[in-house]
Amino acid sequence: MKKTILLIIVAVTAGNINGYAEEPSDTININEVVITGNRVEVSRLNSPLTISVISSDEILSQEEANILPVVAKRTPSLFVSEIGVAGYALGNGTSGQITIRGVGGSPNARVLMLVDGQPQYMGVFGHPLPNFHMASNVERVEVVRGPASLLYGSNAMGGVINVITKKQQNEGLSFRGHAAYGSFNTMKTGVSAGYSNGNFSAGVNVNHNQTDGHRDSTEFSITNVHAYAGLEINRNWSVRAGLTWADYSFMDPGSSLIAEPITFLGDITRRMATLSVKNNYESTMGGVYLFYNSGNHDFSDGWVSADVNNGVNIYQSMSLWDGGTVTAGIDMKRYGGEGSFGFFSDTFITVNESAGYLMAEQKIGSLLNFTAGARYESHSNFGAEVVPQFGITVRPDRGTIIKALASKGFRSPTIMEMYLFAPNEALEPERLWNYELSATRQIGQVGIISASAYMINGSNLIIMEPNPTPPPPVFRVNGGEFSNWGIELESTFYPVKALQLDLTYSYLNADTKLYFAPEHQLFAGAMYHIGDFRLSASVKSIRGLYTLIDNGDPANDIRESYLLADMKVSYRVMEFMELFIAGKNLLNQDYQTVNGYQMPGINAIGGISVKFN
């Protein structure tokens, strides 16, 4: 407990990193605009939800091919499991498990990942596809810490990670390219081109990354292509289309604790298409969004699957009276697929979800802001689910915001749970209630600090029990419960020009032992720019991470604690060219996030990037 108190004191009195900026006054802004918490652009701190934002500068300060390691490092209460230097192996549940505030993990379907606001997950198992998100194609990431089911429905039970892709900003033609080589024969390459002329813009981004891995049989390779086009029809209407294709393969060598492990291999192809039509008037704004996801998975254990996830989102936000805003929306979604194993193997099964929601906001002067909303969800299997949310924001002065929130989250059972493995077609949604209180204080033009406290009570969790009428011998039922509470701290400071300092901390108290949910997480980092040099350095402390839970004998439990140090140095040799070198795990920590999968020690990568506008 003393260590916890010490960490809190450090977090409150120190600073937090959010990306390089030339002028601190342009970056430190208590009213930073986000879209994930309300679907339309609003001040992050006026949104009732607790939202973290990871900027493109912060993303580029880490030399990562995938976006998730950067997001997990910088977001309190968020954790993502890893087993190697690059890529996430699927199928055996070994990596890419996401938790927020202890909610998520297994099944890996309780945190929703979005691409430009549209859901992206595997149609049969309901889990996100972590390898799909390349860091070079990302403008920023917005993370909702806590349930966001009012706006996004199922799978947003624990939170939301919204990956917002890059768009061409400058007139004319632009080109970017990068190439890097490092430890374990790791290679990262990518090119992107964009064009803008008046109201029209378009671009394409192509990446290829591969590695031999730090253990035998840990090879990983991915090719990712993203293309988009947008047209500003007039000052009020715009249309945008996007296509993403990814093909990747991985090797999972198995646990090192097994005498003769069997290597698990996978080949995955994913596709995503989006189309949006948006409007923006003085007193109303909204849009129509269509999305289509599909994929094919082929694993060495014989599992072959095809899945689909598509739908439409329609919403409109209207300012109908002084200080009052109402947002109304309709969501329709169809998802499912088929697999080569299970009770309904080789049968393409889909379910349908449709929902309507209404969220109202009322401002009373500059002091108070009330929000309330409800969602009515209709599922083709279990029927209806009602999702309420209530929030209040108090602004006692220009630099301080205090928020309170009560929100419900839920997760619909997946195709796998209802039809394939230990199935039960009568399953109902998992549910939770989240209560939180937060305060944010801007410190002049040099810093901002936030603190949050939350309590989460979950019920109706899907668990395994003996089947009274086998087969199968066990089946899934709604019967699990949990209770979590915790605290979170974020801060960003610019003590001098061109120096950014970041600190985040989170503490989790769970009534049950959880995988992929550390008790303590602490991140501290700095980014500094002088002349043609840029330097970024960070440390991440993880304490109390369960990697083995033995319910029969707690003495066999294994909890990991480790401290990771990373650094990146870049030098601009010409106006359009930059050289860089980055090192990870510089303290050579011996650690695991999954039992039996030792993570690599000190490793490095270096390369070149070019940019023409």
Side-chain angles (χ1 to χ4, degrees), residues 438-450:
S438 64
T440 300
R441 176 67 184 175
Q442 182 169 332
I443 303 173
Q445 291 298 323
V446 299
I448 189 169
I449 186 166
S450 300

Side-chain angles (χ1 to χ4, degrees), residues 550-563:
D550 187 339
N551 293 319
D553 186 358
N556 295 326
D557 291 348
I558 298 177
R559 301 183 79 183
E560 289 273 334
S561 294
Y562 52 87
L563 179 67

Side-chain angles (χ1 to χ4, degrees), residues 108-122:
N108 194 24
R110 295 176 179 137
V111 173
L112 179 62
M113 289 204 68
L114 307 173
V115 176
D116 293 326
Q118 305 310 304
Q120 187 272 325
Y121 56 82
M122 199 268 191

Side-chain angles (χ1 to χ4, degrees), residues 253-276:
S255 171
S256 61
L257 303 176
I258 301 174
E260 296 182 4
I262 299 175
T263 299
F264 181 75
L265 298 90
D267 289 292
I268 296 175
T269 301
R270 302 297 308 181
R271 299 162 289 270
M272 181 175 183
T274 60
L275 175 65
S276 65

Side-chain angles (χ1 to χ4, degrees), residues 218-230:
T218 56
E219 287 90 341
F220 175 81
S221 176
I222 184 170
T223 299
N224 178 286
V225 180
H226 173 74
Y228 67 89

